[in-house]
Amino acid sequence: MQNSLFISPGEETYPFRLRPLPYPANSLSPFINQETLLLHHGKHLAKYVEELNKALKPYPKYHNWPLTRLLENIILLPREIQTPVLNNGGGVYNHNLYFNAMAPPGSKAQKGHLIDRIKIDFSSPEDFYILFKEKALEVFGSGYTWLAAKGSALKILNTPNQNTVLPLGLYPLFLIDVWEHAYYLQYQNRRGEYIDNFFKLINWQYANANYLNSLKTSL
Ligand code: MN
């Protein structure tokens, strides 16, 4: 098990590796069961890592670019790898953020600068949940719902496919994966129930650390 609290999901460079889950695979149960989590991490994320490396292998010029830089500058890449890097690089980034932004239930307190700001922007954590859930239910097809920051201001938004919020100049705090592969095995079509249970797993300590980084980068 690694302590990944302050590790950005995007600071790694080629060759990318499958990061281990930051908690035991059964520890998010019953909200996300072990079978779902192992398939999601060990098959889906592993495939994105493999395909990202395959796309970048013939292009040593980009081997020292951190993943964040690649994703922020897709249009600077050779045309033939723009789509594979967008899809698979985004897949690696988004999943590393997703897995790190969860923790075993009951292990993280809702306190800190981020929660204080949520109370300012959304009235209360409960009101924030309602808005975030509405947004996540709106995702049509495959995508993500994010809590992101621009400086101190918070924003809830959706991205399709494996797109990230990086080209929008937003700093990601956490996201929920609403691709069907994230929940279908356990929840079938009950996306709302999956979202409700995701709220019980949010690693507020990690999200708060991301928020503090967002404040620093905007100075
Ligand atoms: Mn996924």
Side-chain angles (χ1 to χ4, degrees), residues 40 44 95 144 162 177 179 181-182:
H40 199 180
H44 290 279
H95 285 94
Y144 294 84
Q162 292 295 358
D177 187 343
W179 282 59
H181 73 225

Side-chain angles (χ1 to χ4, degrees), residues 76-88:
L76 300 182
L77 301 176
R79 187 179 296 270
E80 62 274 20
I81 60 168
Q82 288 182 5
T83 300
V85 171
L86 175 68
N87 290 339
N88 297 294

Side-chain angles (χ1 to χ4, degrees), residues 31 40 53 89 92 97 121 129 137 139 150 165 182 197 201 209 211:
F31 304 122
H40 199 180
N53 284 333
V92 172
L97 181 61
D121 286 359
Y129 290 154
L137 287 170
V139 173
K150 192 153 201 157
V165 297
N197 285 336
L201 299 172
Y211 186 57

Side-chain angles (χ1 to χ4, degrees), residues 96-143:
N96 282 336
L97 181 61
Y98 173 71
F99 290 126
N100 281 289
M102 296 189 289
S107 63
K108 59 284 159 193
Q110 281 190 29
K111 59 181 184 188
H113 286 78
L114 175 57
I115 286 292
D116 292 343
R117 183 70 197 202
I118 282 175
K119 289 172 185 165
I120 293 170
D121 286 359
F122 304 103
S123 301
S124 69
E126 293 72 26
D127 290 313
F128 163 72
Y129 290 154
I130 290 167
L131 288 175
F132 190 92
K133 182 180 180 182
E134 276 175 10
K135 201 74 182 169
L137 287 170
E138 276 173 20
V139 173
F140 186 78
S142 297

